[in-house]
Amino acid sequence: MEYEFRRNRLDGTVFANFTMEHEVFGRWFAEELGADVSRTQQIVASLSQLLSGSANHWRDIGTDLTIDADSEQVRIFVNAIDFDEEHDFEEGMGLYDAESEGYCGLEDFDKALKSWLVFIQE
């Protein structure tokens, strides 16, 4: 999972761009966390409990996106979309949902989150 963090020098807005299949992570970082150092630190602490084995599951329901984590992986998804719903598409066609739902390993996500924390503190 590759990512890049940027800041608008005019107004201080922060952005996160993640590679394909992980675009929703960039949206979560920018929209749900933003430059909120305290909230980011709280999430780092929650994930460290998962990494250490002292917790089995953690979830945070945000304004538009929910993050769901266990001892192995992290899932981020849009609150308003039902992914279990059946859709009838022509053969070879389907929904592109990488901007609406994504998965990654817990350790990879923890690394990205800690990098985000350093970035927003600069």
Side-chain angles (χ1 to χ4, degrees):
M1 177 169 73
E2 294 180 26
Y3 48 86
E4 173 188 34
F5 303 138
R6 294 176 306 161
R7 180 184 319 271
N8 181 327
R9 298 288 178 197
L10 297 175
D11 65 5
T13 305
V14 289
F15 302 94
N17 293 320
F18 281 71
T19 54
M20 285 188 70
E21 298 182 14
H22 296 104
E23 292 101 333
V24 71
F25 285 82
R27 185 172 165 205
W28 182 81
F29 275 79
E31 295 177 15
E32 297 290 341
L33 287 181
D36 189 338
V37 172
S38 176
R39 181 154 189 253
T40 304
Q41 289 171 331
Q42 290 172 349
I43 295 171
V44 166
S46 296
L47 294 183
S48 67
Q49 290 179 349
L50 290 173
L51 288 164
S52 71
S54 62
N56 296 326
H57 183 260
W58 176 80
R59 176 179 265 201
D60 182 69
I61 301 170
T63 305
D64 293 321
L65 301 163
T66 293
I67 181 169
D68 191 59
D70 61 28
S71 61
E72 295 181 11
Q73 73 176 2
V74 173
R75 174 182 175 225
I76 294 179
F77 57 94
V78 175
N79 293 341
I81 295 180
D82 181 7
F83 288 100
D84 296 328
E85 189 176 305
E86 288 290 323
H87 297 281
D88 291 327
F89 294 103
E90 292 181 30
E91 187 176 326
M93 300 296 286
L95 290 174
Y96 177 73
D97 63 2
E99 293 177 356
S100 302
E101 179 181 40
Y103 296 85
C104 76
L106 178 61
E107 291 178 2
D108 288 339
F109 184 78
D110 184 62
K111 181 181 174 184
L113 184 62
K114 288 176 179 173
S115 295
W116 180 258
L117 181 59
V118 170
F119 169 73
I120 62 175
Q121 289 177 323
E122 292 178 340

